[in-house]
């Protein structure tokens, strides 16, 4: 994952970052394992991650946030 060359893909690089707990907790807003849902809310999700607001039990490590940001910047490949 850290050695991804080229653009990150949702299925390979992004979806595995979301724990079952994250998915269950956020179901009331969107499904973190669904490409369509995460792509549709990507900018709010990135904002939460960057501010360290989500997940609420502790912020992601910077490399994970960077990977998510790169996925968004490079066109959100499925
Ligand atoms: C647009 C982005 C998001 C919004 C607006 C959002 C909002 C919320 C809200 C309102 C809650 C319930 C209240 C609370 O416990 O704070 C919640 C819970 C939670 N969210 Fe998110 N969230 C977002 C993204 C995420 C992401 C990306 C993750 C994981 C990577 C995540 C993980 C969690 C977890 C684990 C909980 C449950 C906390 C607990 O009950 O202990 N959320 N979120």
């Amino acid at each position: 994952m850290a050695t991804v060359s080229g653009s990150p893909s949702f299925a390979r690089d992004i979806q595995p970052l979301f724990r079952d707990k994250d998915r269950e907790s956020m179901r009331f807003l969107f499904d973190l394992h669904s490409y369509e849902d995460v792509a549709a809310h990507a900018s709010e999700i990135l904002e939460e991650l960057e501010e360290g607001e989500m997940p609420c039990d502790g912020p992601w490590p910077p490399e994970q946030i960077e990977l998510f940001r790169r996925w968004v910047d490079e066109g959100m490949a499925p």
Side-chain angles (χ1 to χ4, degrees):
M1 185 220 300
T3 56
V4 177
S5 59
S7 296
S9 97
F10 182 76
R12 186 189 55 199
D13 306 306
I14 302 301
Q15 200 228 52
L17 302 177
F18 299 116
R19 304 164 298 176
D20 288 344
K21 176 185 178 176
D22 300 326
R23 186 181 186 208
E24 293 310 319
S25 302
M26 293 317 300
R27 267 191 192 282
F28 73 103
L29 283 179
F30 39 68
D31 180 354
L32 286 168
H33 282 192
S34 151
Y35 171 78
E36 285 73 18
D37 280 15
V38 175
H41 296 94
S43 53
E44 301 114 274
I45 291 173
L46 181 57
E47 204 175 298
E48 295 290 321
L49 293 171
E50 285 181 329
E51 287 169 0
E53 297 289 332
M54 284 285 145
C56 40
D57 57 351
W60 273 10
E63 318 79 73
Q64 261 178 236
I65 301 176
E66 187 49 40
L67 184 59
F68 190 90
R69 193 211 327 270
R70 206 153 63 75
W71 176 69
V72 174
D73 287 350
E74 295 178 10
M76 299 191 281

PDB file of all heavy atoms in Angstrom, residues 34-52:
ATOM      1  N   SER A  34     -18.398   1.482   0.131  1.00  0.00           N
ATOM      2  CA  SER A  34     -18.998   1.673  -1.193  1.00  0.00           C
ATOM      3  C   SER A  34     -18.243   2.762  -1.950  1.00  0.00           C
ATOM      4  O   SER A  34     -18.127   3.901  -1.477  1.00  0.00           O
ATOM      5  CB  SER A  34     -20.464   2.075  -1.028  1.00  0.00           C
ATOM      6  OG  SER A  34     -20.900   2.876  -2.109  1.00  0.00           O
ATOM      7  N   TYR A  35     -17.747   2.408  -3.126  1.00  0.00           N
ATOM      8  CA  TYR A  35     -17.037   3.388  -3.955  1.00  0.00           C
ATOM      9  C   TYR A  35     -17.913   4.610  -4.217  1.00  0.00           C
ATOM     10  O   TYR A  35     -17.466   5.745  -4.056  1.00  0.00           O
ATOM     11  CB  TYR A  35     -16.601   2.756  -5.299  1.00  0.00           C
ATOM     12  CG  TYR A  35     -16.076   3.795  -6.258  1.00  0.00           C
ATOM     13  CD1 TYR A  35     -14.787   4.306  -6.099  1.00  0.00           C
ATOM     14  CD2 TYR A  35     -16.881   4.304  -7.278  1.00  0.00           C
ATOM     15  CE1 TYR A  35     -14.310   5.300  -6.942  1.00  0.00           C
ATOM     16  CE2 TYR A  35     -16.412   5.297  -8.127  1.00  0.00           C
ATOM     17  CZ  TYR A  35     -15.129   5.791  -7.959  1.00  0.00           C
ATOM     18  OH  TYR A  35     -14.667   6.779  -8.785  1.00  0.00           O
ATOM     19  N   GLU A  36     -19.175   4.367  -4.597  1.00  0.00           N
ATOM     20  CA  GLU A  36     -20.063   5.477  -4.944  1.00  0.00           C
ATOM     21  C   GLU A  36     -20.257   6.425  -3.768  1.00  0.00           C
ATOM     22  O   GLU A  36     -20.228   7.640  -3.927  1.00  0.00           O
ATOM     23  CB  GLU A  36     -21.440   4.958  -5.402  1.00  0.00           C
ATOM     24  CG  GLU A  36     -21.455   4.354  -6.793  1.00  0.00           C
ATOM     25  CD  GLU A  36     -20.784   2.971  -6.872  1.00  0.00           C
ATOM     26  OE1 GLU A  36     -20.603   2.320  -5.813  1.00  0.00           O
ATOM     27  OE2 GLU A  36     -20.420   2.557  -7.986  1.00  0.00           O
ATOM     28  N   ASP A  37     -20.470   5.866  -2.565  1.00  0.00           N
ATOM     29  CA  ASP A  37     -20.707   6.702  -1.385  1.00  0.00           C
ATOM     30  C   ASP A  37     -19.463   7.501  -1.004  1.00  0.00           C
ATOM     31  O   ASP A  37     -19.544   8.701  -0.718  1.00  0.00           O
ATOM     32  CB  ASP A  37     -21.118   5.842  -0.181  1.00  0.00           C
ATOM     33  CG  ASP A  37     -22.592   5.447  -0.223  1.00  0.00           C
ATOM     34  OD1 ASP A  37     -23.222   5.591  -1.289  1.00  0.00           O
ATOM     35  OD2 ASP A  37     -23.101   4.995   0.813  1.00  0.00           O
ATOM     36  N   VAL A  38     -18.313   6.844  -0.991  1.00  0.00           N
ATOM     37  CA  VAL A  38     -17.088   7.542  -0.572  1.00  0.00           C
ATOM     38  C   VAL A  38     -16.716   8.602  -1.603  1.00  0.00           C
ATOM     39  O   VAL A  38     -16.357   9.736  -1.247  1.00  0.00           O
ATOM     40  CB  VAL A  38     -15.932   6.552  -0.314  1.00  0.00           C
ATOM     41  CG1 VAL A  38     -14.635   7.287   0.005  1.00  0.00           C
ATOM     42  CG2 VAL A  38     -16.291   5.615   0.851  1.00  0.00           C
ATOM     43  N   ALA A  39     -16.857   8.275  -2.893  1.00  0.00           N
ATOM     44  CA  ALA A  39     -16.545   9.261  -3.938  1.00  0.00           C
ATOM     45  C   ALA A  39     -17.482  10.464  -3.820  1.00  0.00           C
ATOM     46  O   ALA A  39     -17.047  11.615  -3.927  1.00  0.00           O
ATOM     47  CB  ALA A  39     -16.649   8.619  -5.321  1.00  0.00           C
ATOM     48  N   ALA A  40     -18.771  10.211  -3.537  1.00  0.00           N
ATOM     49  CA  ALA A  40     -19.739  11.310  -3.449  1.00  0.00           C
ATOM     50  C   ALA A  40     -19.465  12.237  -2.262  1.00  0.00           C
ATOM     51  O   ALA A  40     -19.775  13.417  -2.303  1.00  0.00           O
ATOM     52  CB  ALA A  40     -21.160  10.757  -3.365  1.00  0.00           C
ATOM     53  N   HIS A  41     -18.849  11.691  -1.170  1.00  0.00           N
ATOM     54  CA  HIS A  41     -18.603  12.499   0.027  1.00  0.00           C
ATOM     55  C   HIS A  41     -17.119  12.723   0.270  1.00  0.00           C
ATOM     56  O   HIS A  41     -16.706  13.071   1.390  1.00  0.00           O
ATOM     57  CB  HIS A  41     -19.224  11.815   1.255  1.00  0.00           C
ATOM     58  CG  HIS A  41     -20.708  11.715   1.186  1.00  0.00           C
ATOM     59  ND1 HIS A  41     -21.364  10.610   0.704  1.00  0.00           N
ATOM     60  CD2 HIS A  41     -21.678  12.606   1.512  1.00  0.00           C
ATOM     61  CE1 HIS A  41     -22.676  10.815   0.743  1.00  0.00           C
ATOM     62  NE2 HIS A  41     -22.886  12.026   1.235  1.00  0.00           N
ATOM     63  N   ALA A  42     -16.301  12.551  -0.774  1.00  0.00           N
ATOM     64  CA  ALA A  42     -14.849  12.526  -0.589  1.00  0.00           C
ATOM     65  C   ALA A  42     -14.300  13.810   0.045  1.00  0.00           C
ATOM     66  O   ALA A  42     -13.424  13.741   0.914  1.00  0.00           O
ATOM     67  CB  ALA A  42     -14.154  12.251  -1.926  1.00  0.00           C
ATOM     68  N   SER A  43     -14.819  14.970  -0.355  1.00  0.00           N
ATOM     69  CA  SER A  43     -14.209  16.189   0.180  1.00  0.00           C
ATOM     70  C   SER A  43     -14.520  16.365   1.661  1.00  0.00           C
ATOM     71  O   SER A  43     -13.637  16.770   2.434  1.00  0.00           O
ATOM     72  CB  SER A  43     -14.570  17.425  -0.637  1.00  0.00           C
ATOM     73  OG  SER A  43     -15.946  17.516  -0.784  1.00  0.00           O
ATOM     74  N   GLU A  44     -15.751  16.016   2.092  1.00  0.00           N
ATOM     75  CA  GLU A  44     -16.062  16.104   3.538  1.00  0.00           C
ATOM     76  C   GLU A  44     -15.255  15.063   4.318  1.00  0.00           C
ATOM     77  O   GLU A  44     -14.797  15.344   5.430  1.00  0.00           O
ATOM     78  CB  GLU A  44     -17.529  15.837   3.839  1.00  0.00           C
ATOM     79  CG  GLU A  44     -18.516  16.750   3.166  1.00  0.00           C
ATOM     80  CD  GLU A  44     -19.359  15.967   2.173  1.00  0.00           C
ATOM     81  OE1 GLU A  44     -18.882  15.823   1.019  1.00  0.00           O
ATOM     82  OE2 GLU A  44     -20.457  15.510   2.539  1.00  0.00           O
ATOM     83  N   ILE A  45     -15.122  13.864   3.734  1.00  0.00           N
ATOM     84  CA  ILE A  45     -14.372  12.814   4.432  1.00  0.00           C
ATOM     85  C   ILE A  45     -12.917  13.250   4.606  1.00  0.00           C
ATOM     86  O   ILE A  45     -12.352  13.146   5.704  1.00  0.00           O
ATOM     87  CB  ILE A  45     -14.491  11.472   3.678  1.00  0.00           C
ATOM     88  CG1 ILE A  45     -15.932  10.946   3.790  1.00  0.00           C
ATOM     89  CG2 ILE A  45     -13.492  10.458   4.207  1.00  0.00           C
ATOM     90  CD1 ILE A  45     -16.231   9.704   2.957  1.00  0.00           C
ATOM     91  N   LEU A  46     -12.334  13.798   3.533  1.00  0.00           N
ATOM     92  CA  LEU A  46     -10.941  14.264   3.620  1.00  0.00           C
ATOM     93  C   LEU A  46     -10.793  15.351   4.681  1.00  0.00           C
ATOM     94  O   LEU A  46      -9.837  15.356   5.465  1.00  0.00           O
ATOM     95  CB  LEU A  46     -10.475  14.770   2.247  1.00  0.00           C
ATOM     96  CG  LEU A  46      -9.028  15.275   2.178  1.00  0.00           C
ATOM     97  CD1 LEU A  46      -8.034  14.195   2.619  1.00  0.00           C
ATOM     98  CD2 LEU A  46      -8.694  15.762   0.769  1.00  0.00           C
ATOM     99  N   GLU A  47     -11.774  16.262   4.732  1.00  0.00           N
ATOM    100  CA  GLU A  47     -11.726  17.339   5.724  1.00  0.00           C
ATOM    101  C   GLU A  47     -11.735  16.782   7.152  1.00  0.00           C
ATOM    102  O   GLU A  47     -10.950  17.205   8.003  1.00  0.00           O
ATOM    103  CB  GLU A  47     -12.932  18.234   5.498  1.00  0.00           C
ATOM    104  CG  GLU A  47     -12.768  19.645   6.012  1.00  0.00           C
ATOM    105  CD  GLU A  47     -13.981  20.480   5.613  1.00  0.00           C
ATOM    106  OE1 GLU A  47     -14.212  20.647   4.390  1.00  0.00           O
ATOM    107  OE2 GLU A  47     -14.690  20.939   6.533  1.00  0.00           O
ATOM    108  N   GLU A  48     -12.634  15.820   7.390  1.00  0.00           N
ATOM    109  CA  GLU A  48     -12.697  15.194   8.723  1.00  0.00           C
ATOM    110  C   GLU A  48     -11.373  14.513   9.073  1.00  0.00           C
ATOM    111  O   GLU A  48     -10.881  14.626  10.198  1.00  0.00           O
ATOM    112  CB  GLU A  48     -13.817  14.148   8.778  1.00  0.00           C
ATOM    113  CG  GLU A  48     -15.222  14.694   8.612  1.00  0.00           C
ATOM    114  CD  GLU A  48     -15.695  15.517   9.795  1.00  0.00           C
ATOM    115  OE1 GLU A  48     -15.391  15.138  10.944  1.00  0.00           O
ATOM    116  OE2 GLU A  48     -16.389  16.519   9.577  1.00  0.00           O
ATOM    117  N   LEU A  49     -10.825  13.796   8.103  1.00  0.00           N
ATOM    118  CA  LEU A  49      -9.562  13.078   8.344  1.00  0.00           C
ATOM    119  C   LEU A  49      -8.430  14.063   8.633  1.00  0.00           C
ATOM    120  O   LEU A  49      -7.642  13.868   9.563  1.00  0.00           O
ATOM    121  CB  LEU A  49      -9.205  12.210   7.132  1.00  0.00           C
ATOM    122  CG  LEU A  49     -10.125  11.018   6.843  1.00  0.00           C
ATOM    123  CD1 LEU A  49      -9.772  10.406   5.487  1.00  0.00           C
ATOM    124  CD2 LEU A  49     -10.046   9.959   7.949  1.00  0.00           C
ATOM    125  N   GLU A  50      -8.358  15.137   7.845  1.00  0.00           N
ATOM    126  CA  GLU A  50      -7.261  16.105   8.002  1.00  0.00           C
ATOM    127  C   GLU A  50      -7.367  16.860   9.312  1.00  0.00           C
ATOM    128  O   GLU A  50      -6.353  17.200   9.928  1.00  0.00           O
ATOM    129  CB  GLU A  50      -7.234  17.086   6.830  1.00  0.00           C
ATOM    130  CG  GLU A  50      -6.681  16.432   5.573  1.00  0.00           C
ATOM    131  CD  GLU A  50      -6.597  17.367   4.376  1.00  0.00           C
ATOM    132  OE1 GLU A  50      -7.440  18.292   4.284  1.00  0.00           O
ATOM    133  OE2 GLU A  50      -5.695  17.158   3.552  1.00  0.00           O
ATOM    134  N   GLU A  51      -8.608  17.131   9.736  1.00  0.00           N
ATOM    135  CA  GLU A  51      -8.789  17.840  11.009  1.00  0.00           C
ATOM    136  C   GLU A  51      -8.647  16.908  12.202  1.00  0.00           C
ATOM    137  O   GLU A  51      -8.646  17.363  13.344  1.00  0.00           O
ATOM    138  CB  GLU A  51     -10.155  18.528  11.030  1.00  0.00           C
ATOM    139  CG  GLU A  51     -10.179  19.741  10.120  1.00  0.00           C
ATOM    140  CD  GLU A  51     -11.575  20.298   9.911  1.00  0.00           C
ATOM    141  OE1 GLU A  51     -12.539  19.734  10.476  1.00  0.00           O
ATOM    142  OE2 GLU A  51     -11.698  21.302   9.192  1.00  0.00           O
ATOM    143  N   GLY A  52      -8.556  15.599  11.932  1.00  0.00           N
ATOM    144  CA  GLY A  52      -8.429  14.632  13.019  1.00  0.00           C
ATOM    145  C   GLY A  52      -9.737  14.433  13.763  1.00  0.00           C
ATOM    146  O   GLY A  52      -9.763  13.901  14.873  1.00  0.00           O
TER     147      GLY A  52
END
